Amino acid sequence: HPKFSFDKTTASSVIFGNNVPITVTGFENNKLKIANKGRYGETREADYLATQMVLKQNGTSIFSGNLEDYTTNLPSSGEIELTLTNPNTLIEGVEGKNTTIISYNAPDAPPTLQHLQFRNSSNEVTNTFDSTLGANLRIAAGDFKYNNNGASGYFTYETGNNVTLSYSKYNQNNWTTLTLTKYSEYFQMPAFGDYYEASLASIGNEDNNVWFDLKIICTDANGNTQEQIISPAFKINGSLAVDESKNADFLIYPNPFSDQLNISLPKEVHV
């Protein structure tokens, strides 16, 4: 996918596996398939062993335990709620967790998040930002239907999926919406589905380094949903933010700077 390439674009600070993964789900008839995908495209197989699962049918719990211990097919009818909790990450001493809640009317399968990536203003793949200026988030998601073809089968894309995005400071559950823009020209089947971007420029910096959680909700045309809370998802370092520089009585640029720092003072200020 042209928007998710990692070649020569990964920031030097990136440590593969040092992030909370997303949960990619697939439903082959009533068989649940799970993939845990890291922020930089890496497959995290050990997350499967760490994931806890709670399964409800028509509001009644019918399974609670390790995901690997659930070896039967999912119910073929009724209102199904599936909660997957993966606490298998520690980032800079911060406990990481992915919580995925899937709600659907069986046998109609729910949509899924397919990929998540952050880029800084230099177009480097990262999840840590000195400035939100020019930084963005990229998402692929879709609604995929499994078609049984005798001994084999295949997935087709279902139209009508909608994706919403919000963020909160780590573990605070105080969500603010981020606007997603869909780019139809980057649609790709079967690996990605629809492609979206969201700017991070509206998120202000803090005095100290701050981790943020991310909530992504996919809703298909029939109302089936997949909700993921990725905690934490990204960090903004304690430096002057875009919003702060706009409201200040003076302007410091560029942000961040390396060899040269410029300070522009108001006309009425004398030095």
Side-chain angles (χ1 to χ4, degrees), residues 101-104 109-112 217-220 222-227:
I101 302 174
I102 303 168
S103 301
Y104 66 100
T112 181
I217 303 176
C218 302
T219 306
D220 71 15
N222 296 324
N224 303 308
T225 64
Q226 183 202 77
E227 173 185 303

Side-chain angles (χ1 to χ4, degrees), residues 25-170:
T25 56
F27 292 77
E28 272 190 22
N29 296 329
N30 296 313
K31 294 180 181 179
L32 173 65
K33 293 194 170 184
I34 295 287
N36 298 288
K37 188 181 295 183
R39 195 74 65 253
Y40 313 112
E42 70 272 35
T43 300
R44 297 172 48 125
E45 295 180 1
D47 288 284
Y48 178 82
L49 303 177
T51 298
Q52 298 291 304
M53 171 175 158
V54 176
L55 174 62
K56 295 181 180 180
Q57 182 182 26
N58 297 324
T60 300
S61 179
I62 58 176
F63 177 83
S64 180
N66 295 328
L67 174 60
E68 65 170 329
D69 292 335
Y70 189 81
T71 57
T72 59
N73 287 352
L74 294 168
S76 58
S77 63
E79 295 182 2
I80 309 302
E81 182 179 284
L82 190 60
T83 302
L84 304 168
T85 306
N86 172 16
N88 192 37
T89 310
L90 186 67
I91 313 174
E92 298 180 5
V94 177
E95 294 182 354
K97 180 171 66 175
N98 177 296
T99 304
T100 300
I101 302 174
I102 303 168
S103 301
Y104 66 100
N105 286 306
D108 186 21
T112 181
L113 179 63
Q114 291 278 77
H115 207 79
L116 169 65
Q117 183 185 94
F118 296 93
R119 298 228 178 182
N120 61 21
S121 59
S122 299
N123 202 32
E124 294 176 319
V125 180
T126 185
N127 65 351
T128 301
F129 302 92
D130 291 325
S131 170
T132 55
L133 179 64
N136 66 59
L137 175 155
R138 302 178 178 189
I139 285 175
D143 185 25
F144 305 94
K145 178 182 178 182
Y146 183 74
N147 299 271
N148 200 347
N149 188 23
S152 62
Y154 59 95
F155 284 94
T156 54
Y157 177 79
E158 301 285 289
T159 60
N161 184 47
N162 181 61
V163 182
T164 60
L165 173 69
S166 54
Y167 70 94
S168 170
K169 289 183 180 179
Y170 171 74

